[in-house]
Amino acid sequence: MEFRLLSDIAEYCHTEGKDFAQAMLDYEMRNKNLTREQVYASLKQILLVMEESVEQGLTQQVVSPSGMLNNWAKQIYEHPLGALGPQLQKAIARAIAVGEVNACMGRIAAAPTAGSAGIMPAVLVTMMEEHRLSRERILDALLVSSAVGLIFARNSSFAGSEAGCMGETGSAAAMGAASITYLLGGNEEQILEAVGFALKGSMGLVCDPVAGLVEEPCTTRNAVGVANAFVSAQMALSGIKSLIPADEVIFATKEVGDLMSPRLKESAQGGLANTKTGREIQKRVFKQSD
Amino acid sequence: MSEPPSIFDILGPVMIGPSSSHTAGASRIGYVARQLLGDTPTRAVITLYNSFAKTHKGHGTDKALIGGILGFGPDDLRIRNSLELAKQESLVWEFKFSSGPNRYHSNTARIKLSGVGGGNVEIVGVSLGGGRIRIDEIEGFGVNFGGQSHTIVIIAEDIPGSIKNISAAIADTNNNIANMYVSRSERLANMVIEVDHPVEPRTINAIRTFPWVRFARLIAPMVEGSSRYDK
């Protein structure tokens, strides 16, 4: 069983009378010779790790070895001044929480990568809390997100060294946008629209990590990725159409990734990594680690 | 693409941060080296190439490699303290760095292990991203496998009939060969055999009793979530 495009999955849903989550369940069961229970057991484990990583970042001391990250998630979560609604304020704090846990060598679930690991947990925990959704529903949303990741991996790339941050937080935001749209009752077409919006919003985003570490700007870009996911889902659920279909947007991310200079793709040679301050931080970090 | 990817290539791996290539992949390479040694390691000499050489400390690559050598999976929190734990277990290690022009992939580690029993093994492993790895060299033989299947690694004298005898030993326990790679150098042959099911002790014992077999070791795949979660 093979899906080449997101539209293939949508078509499978229509033909079989299934939703995106069921389509991906069929895909995994058939290709890997697994039972429904086995697939859900693995999904549950991923969700458990996601929830734990959010919790840890919001409750434990998380200061990265480089000193660049310092308990930011708690600060945002508890801040009395709200520029966003409380839902989004908490959501971005959760994304940063996971980023901090990751930088401190805590346990995380890459989704799709470690550098973008904050987005899916933030989206799912927030949806579970705000909409009082069951864990079972959230596991289905994870299945939906995997559809987006699967097609993105096939037709573009998750690797920061190939597609920049667009491939990491961009694809994670698209996975999150699809999950939110699905959980709020969006149909297959709306899920695809949400994916298109999220990827358009991160088109061309470079990977320029200061000192080559998964900290700055990765962590705050995860927060922006969460916002992107909610914004994209809202547009799709409101019935707005992405004029460029999601599958074509994915091909465009591949083209843009190929056109991006290697200096802007994880090599820590351009962008923020190459600023005066970025280089100073790099010097300091490597000195202390010698 | 040979086999359709799993949804758990997208969701996961569950891992100790911060980097799937520089942390999770590194621990897997260490783990394969440990299994090929087949003994408690007492000494490890690790050469890091290219990106691994440049950025290992910031990504905990050193802790991940040593953690893998101690037998920890990529999601095992003990990786954080692996250097202290290694000292407690009397493992002596040394890191070397090579970033000059070379033939290696950007995230490559060469690991030479010595065991309590006096055995040695040397491998070259590459971290491919997303926690996936490829082993490129064992004892100087070029190989190419991912360590995600049950794998038998054999070095034997290059004599006619060796493959037949080894496949018979595997088939005796109803195990099935999924992939087999053979390479030869001087008068020795290297075989890497990936099989469908866990290898029974009597299979590997049978292979070891062939007088022309110099080295036969097993690699069991790292099961995702095999280490204990806190809750």
Side-chain angles (χ1 to χ4, degrees):
Chain A
M1 191 171 180
E2 202 173 4
F3 294 129
R4 292 163 188 272
L5 298 168
L6 284 170
S7 60
D8 289 349
I9 307 177
E11 200 181 301
Y12 178 88
C13 292
H14 290 179
T15 322
E16 301 285 321
K18 294 186 169 174
D19 69 16
F20 249 81
Q22 292 164 328
M24 295 316 292
L25 182 63
D26 287 354
Y27 171 92
E28 190 68 8
M29 285 170 60
R30 242 178 266 176
N31 286 338
K32 302 297 163 188
N33 202 16
L34 297 171
T35 64
R36 185 192 157 82
E37 286 67 35
Q38 286 171 318
V39 176
Y40 276 104
S42 300
L43 288 168
K44 227 181 219 167
Q45 202 164 44
I46 302 265
L47 181 60
L48 177 68
V49 172
M50 286 181 168
E51 290 180 87
E52 280 181 358
S53 59
V54 168
E55 179 74 23
Q56 279 169 10
L58 289 176
T59 54
Q60 296 179 5
Q61 274 296 315
V62 269
V63 183
S64 65
S66 74
M68 279 195 277
L69 305 182
N70 185 348
N71 293 299
W72 291 346
K74 290 184 271 295
Q75 202 174 330
I76 296 170
Y77 196 86
E78 290 156 4
H79 205 279
L81 187 59
L84 310 161
Q87 170 184 332
L88 199 49
Q89 184 175 344
K90 284 195 230 167
I92 66 168
R94 289 175 178 130
I96 289 182
V98 178
E100 290 181 327
V101 166
N102 184 52
C104 296
M105 296 192 82
R107 187 190 287 127
I108 55 106
T113 63
S116 60
I119 294 174
M120 283 304 298
V123 161
L124 296 177
V125 170
T126 302
M127 290 302 289
M128 193 152 52
E129 184 181 285
E130 296 293 327
H131 296 272
R132 299 177 186 281
L133 299 171
S134 68
R135 277 212 166 61
E136 286 63 37
R137 284 282 288 160
I138 298 295
L139 298 181
D140 283 337
L142 263 177
L143 280 169
V144 173
S145 78
S146 77
V148 179
L150 196 79
I151 302 302
F152 191 89
R154 184 187 178 100
N155 298 333
S156 187
S157 170
F158 290 149
S161 57
E162 289 175 7
C165 197
M166 166 175 70
E168 301 205 36
T169 65
S171 66
M175 289 165 64
S179 303
I180 299 164
T181 307
Y182 171 81
L183 287 171
L184 294 179
N187 61 25
E188 283 69 44
E189 284 65 37
Q190 288 171 316
I191 291 172
L192 263 61
E193 302 298 353
V195 170
F197 289 131
L199 291 175
K200 290 193 291 185
S202 25
M203 188 69 71
L205 193 59
V206 303
C207 177
D208 50 354
V210 169
L213 300 177
V214 193
E215 297 188 25
E216 162 73 10
C218 320
T219 309
T220 47
R221 275 196 191 139
N222 270 260
V224 176
V226 171
N228 180 355
F230 278 99
V231 169
S232 298
Q234 180 68 66
M235 289 196 281
L237 287 163
S238 309
I240 307 287
K241 299 238 181 291
S242 163
L243 293 176
I244 311 297
D247 282 310
E248 291 182 43
V249 179
I250 292 176
F251 285 120
T253 65
K254 165 80 171 109
E255 185 193 26
V256 169
D258 289 346
L259 289 170
M260 274 158 63
S261 160
R263 294 172 66 91
L264 299 173
K265 292 192 284 191
E266 212 179 71
S267 59
Q269 291 172 342
L272 298 173
N274 195 32
T275 55
K276 180 171 167 279
T277 305
R279 286 194 306 267
E280 279 166 11
I281 293 173
Q282 173 158 18
K283 227 182 253 169
R284 176 172 61 72
V285 167
F286 283 110
K287 202 170 176 187
Q288 81 185 21
S289 71
D290 275 344
Chain B
M1 218 178 283
S2 51
E3 202 185 324
S6 161
I7 63 168
F8 297 107
D9 295 331
I10 313 296
L11 304 171
V14 171
M15 52 168 274
I16 304 306
S19 161
S20 61
S21 56
H22 286 61
T23 321
S27 77
R28 284 206 168 117
I29 296 171
Y31 187 78
V32 167
R34 161 66 175 257
Q35 293 198 84
L36 283 170
L37 179 69
D39 190 9
T40 305
T42 53
R43 183 170 167 73
V45 181
I46 302 167
T47 311
L48 301 180
Y49 297 92
N50 307 325
S51 173
F52 261 15
K54 278 182 222 148
T55 63
H56 64 287
K57 279 223 167 152
H59 289 117
T61 307
D62 48 354
K63 294 181 184 174
L65 283 160
I66 296 290
I69 291 169
L70 292 176
F72 306 158
D75 60 346
D76 193 322
L77 280 168
R78 289 176 295 178
I79 283 178
R80 285 169 155 183
N81 312 315
S82 67
L83 301 183
E84 291 79 34
L85 293 167
K87 278 178 201 156
Q88 284 170 25
E89 299 196 11
S90 307
L91 171 68
V92 178
W93 72 88
E94 180 188 349
F95 278 97
K96 297 179 176 176
F97 308 101
S98 168
S99 48
N102 59 59
R103 62 196 164 90
Y104 297 109
H105 178 279
S106 76
N107 299 325
T108 300
R110 174 185 293 276
I111 304 178
K112 194 173 176 181
L113 291 184
S114 312
V116 163
N120 295 296
V121 76
E122 185 167 352
I123 72 161
V124 174
V126 181
S127 182
L128 300 169
R132 288 174 307 117
I133 62 164
R134 185 182 70 218
I135 304 302
D136 273 3
E137 257 180 66
I138 295 176
E139 298 289 281
F141 285 96
V143 296
N144 177 353
F145 67 99
Q148 293 295 86
S149 311
H150 294 280
T151 309
I152 308 172
V153 178
I154 299 166
I155 295 173
E157 288 163 39
D158 191 11
I159 58 158
S162 55
I163 291 177
K164 183 182 143 226
N165 283 303
I166 286 164
S167 5
I170 293 167
D172 256 4
T173 54
N174 280 329
N175 212 334
N176 202 8
I177 296 177
N179 285 300
M180 184 164 186
Y181 314 93
V182 183
S183 64
R184 311 157 89 180
S185 129
E186 311 273 305
R187 256 160 280 152
L188 289 176
N190 169 265
M191 287 171 238
V192 175
I193 306 164
E194 293 181 328
V195 294
D196 288 345
H197 307 292
V199 178
E200 291 184 23
R202 66 186 166 114
T203 307
I204 195 77
N205 289 337
I207 292 171
R208 282 184 185 140
T209 52
F210 295 130
W212 34 270
V213 167
R214 299 265 183 96
F215 172 107
R217 294 278 154 73
L218 285 181
I219 298 166
M222 182 83 68
V223 182
E224 223 49 85
S226 59
S227 49
R228 312 115 305 270
Y229 292 119
D230 306 327
K231 283 182 205 166

